[in-house]
């Protein structure tokens, strides 16, 4: 029997097509909660992004076998209620790994070569060659905090640029790091010896403000900090002070404590590259977010037969 799938948030057409190859698929976007509760009992699987709230009520009245969240995070799904009903929950955090890793390298080069300022200057009709002398990645030491999916992809790209890569992650070993052509380093040593430090950890109780005033003060003078992971990992006020006083050379920030920020703390600084949470914003990552989840759902139903 072909499974029945309900999709209630927009996912990429190619993912919908793929779902139709093994299941009967209905689409209904912006579905009101009451209607979802009524409709859900006819389906084996539900696919959402972040808009649909898959509440305890929805779950309890359903006959679902699996819920797929296209993208990172499961905040809009009551996972506990799903677990109690033995409903599998899958998502696709791996979909944006390459997009984030490429943005790390791209933003770093933008900062170090002052591309954003040079571009702006030319658009204003100027030709200021001597103002925009920059620096290279080659030969610099990159410290990666969090050596999971994204951290590892960043390491591969940094190695290709001829950087020395050191990593800290509590769950990896010295050998693990070495296999990826990296050196394992404890976090304090990594901060003291890196020219660039990039964060690739989740935001948890343990990692909140993992980079605060004290750790910023350990960083090399003129080092660069990159946060394309989560707002809340860095104490923004302490970072602002370090950048304002040129204690640090610069920062790349894609994520903020408050999004969108009511007041953009960093906007008067020259030594930053700021982006509005664009880490996963590529066509490829958007396609992957849907197709990876659909693939997981297909495998789930295959394993049930
Ligand atoms: P992952 O789970 O594969 O890797 C995270 C790693 O962090 C794990 O290896 C874990 O052991 C490590 N870690 C946990 N606590 C740590 C600590 N205290 N110190 C050092 N390491 C620690 O996750 P990922 O897919 O690599 O994603 C990393 C981060 O990037 C996540 O926070 C994710 O939310 C964020 N992200 C941001 C965007 C964006 O749009 N900017 C997009 C995707 C992911």
């Amino acid at each position: 029997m072909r499974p029945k799938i309900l999709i209630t948030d927009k996912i990429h057409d190619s993912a919908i097509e793929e779902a139709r190859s093994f299941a009967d698929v209905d689409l209904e976007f912006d579905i009101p909660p009451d209607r979802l509760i009524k409709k859900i009992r006819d389906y084996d699987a539900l696919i959402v992004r972040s808009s649909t709230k898959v509440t305890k009520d929805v779950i309890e009245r359903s006959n679902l076998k699996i819920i797929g969240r296209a993208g990172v995070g499961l905040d809009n799904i009551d996972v506990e209620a799903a677990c109690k009903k033995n409903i599998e929950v899958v998502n696709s955090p791996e979909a944006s790994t390459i997009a984030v890793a490429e943005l790390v390298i791209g933003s770093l080069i933008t900062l170090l070569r002052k591309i954003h300022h040079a571009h702006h200057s030319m658009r204003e009709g100027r030709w200021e060659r001597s103002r925009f002398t920059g620096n290279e990645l080659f030969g610099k030491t990159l410290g990666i905090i969090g050596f999971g999916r994204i951290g590892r992809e960043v390491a591969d790209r940094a190695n290709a640029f001829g950087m020395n890569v050191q990593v800290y992650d509590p769950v990896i070993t010295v050998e693990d790091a070495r296999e990826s052509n990296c050196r394992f380093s404890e976090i304090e040593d990594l901060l003291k010896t890196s020219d660039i430090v990039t964060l690739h950890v989740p935001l948890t109780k343990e990692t909140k403000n993992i980079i605060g005033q004290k750790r910023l003060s350990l960083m090399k003078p003129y080092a660069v900090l990159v946060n394309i992971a989560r707002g809340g990992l860095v104490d923004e006020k302490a970072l602002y002070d370090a950048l304002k006083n040129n204690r640090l050379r610069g920062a790349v920030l894609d994520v903020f404590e408050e999004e969108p920020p009511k007041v953009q703390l960093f906007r008067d600084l020259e030594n930053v590259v700021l982006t509005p949470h664009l880490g996963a914003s590529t066509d490829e990552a958007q396609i992957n977010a849907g197709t990876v989840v659909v693939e997981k759902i297909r495998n789930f139903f295959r394993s049930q037969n």
Side-chain angles (χ1 to χ4, degrees):
M1 273 259 291
R2 278 161 72 82
K4 286 193 76 183
I5 302 181
L6 177 65
I7 303 178
T8 58
D9 292 325
K10 181 92 191 84
I11 60 170
H12 199 271
D13 288 347
S14 56
I16 297 172
E17 197 106 313
E18 206 172 309
R20 288 206 160 111
S21 70
F22 68 91
D24 294 332
V25 178
D26 289 330
L27 308 178
E28 186 165 342
F29 304 145
D30 301 319
I31 187 167
D34 291 0
R35 183 161 163 74
L36 178 60
I37 286 175
K38 270 199 205 128
K39 209 172 155 83
I40 198 67
R41 59 175 69 104
D42 299 334
Y43 293 91
D44 304 299
L46 172 67
I47 299 180
V48 301
R49 291 209 68 148
S50 53
S51 302
T52 304
K53 306 291 171 242
V54 191
T55 59
K56 195 168 166 220
D57 271 358
V58 172
I59 288 167
E60 281 179 352
R61 293 188 202 190
S62 79
N63 294 310
L64 290 171
K65 299 182 180 66
I66 184 164
I67 301 168
R69 153 76 160 96
V72 189
L74 293 168
D75 310 351
N76 53 322
I77 298 171
D78 190 330
V79 178
E80 207 185 311
C83 271
K84 275 195 192 138
K85 274 201 80 174
N86 225 358
I87 300 171
E88 184 98 358
V89 180
V90 292
N91 64 349
S92 49
E94 59 275 62
S96 53
T97 303
I98 302 298
V100 176
E102 289 190 1
L103 187 63
V104 170
I105 303 295
S107 310
L108 260 177
I109 294 177
T110 301
L111 182 84
L112 295 181
R113 299 300 295 270
K114 306 176 184 164
I115 295 171
H116 51 323
H117 295 309
H119 174 79
H120 190 66
S121 152
M122 278 202 74
R123 288 185 63 138
E124 293 194 333
R126 296 195 292 271
W127 182 261
E128 302 177 291
R129 294 193 63 218
S130 58
R131 193 179 146 203
F132 298 121
T133 304
N135 289 101
E136 299 169 12
L137 293 178
F138 181 82
K140 305 295 184 302
T141 298
L142 175 70
I144 299 178
I145 300 178
F147 203 49
R149 281 179 293 257
I150 296 172
R152 285 168 193 267
E153 292 294 339
V154 171
D156 285 353
R157 281 151 185 78
N159 274 318
F161 275 92
M163 301 184 81
N164 306 308
V165 185
Q166 49 182 351
V167 299
Y168 169 71
D169 189 314
V171 305
I172 69 156
T173 62
V174 172
E175 288 72 38
D176 204 0
R178 202 177 295 134
E179 274 171 23
S180 299
N181 205 9
C182 301
R183 196 170 71 83
F184 181 85
S185 176
E186 291 299 340
I187 189 162
E188 318 281 313
D189 285 339
L190 179 146
L191 289 165
K192 283 181 198 162
T193 55
S194 297
D195 301 300
I196 298 160
V197 173
T198 185
L199 305 176
H200 298 291
V201 298
L203 180 64
T204 62
K205 261 191 264 139
E206 288 73 38
T207 61
K208 180 145 180 63
N209 282 337
I210 190 170
I211 303 296
Q213 197 271 330
K214 204 166 151 220
R215 284 191 165 151
L216 285 170
S217 72
L218 295 177
M219 289 175 69
K220 276 178 147 181
Y222 307 117
V224 168
L225 181 70
V226 179
N227 185 10
I228 306 193
R230 277 290 175 269
L233 294 175
V234 179
D235 177 339
E236 288 186 353
K237 178 72 180 69
L239 176 61
Y240 177 84
D241 289 343
L243 291 167
K244 184 86 182 166
N245 302 329
N246 288 318
R247 163 66 191 83
L248 288 187
R249 180 213 175 104
V252 166
L253 300 172
D254 183 53
V255 287
F256 302 88
E257 277 169 14
E258 183 185 45
E259 295 185 4
K262 279 194 199 79
V263 179
Q264 179 44 267
L265 186 62
F266 300 94
R267 73 176 172 188
D268 67 321
L269 299 177
E270 288 282 304
N271 49 353
V272 288
V273 168
L274 306 174
T275 45
H277 206 140
L278 296 183
S281 298
T282 63
D283 290 339
E284 293 85 343
Q286 299 309 311
I287 294 171
N288 290 345
T291 52
V292 168
V293 152
V294 167
E295 196 52 40
K296 287 181 182 177
I297 291 176
R298 182 210 290 265
N299 290 340
F300 171 83
F301 284 115
R302 268 194 192 142
S303 72
Q304 304 286 299
N305 290 332

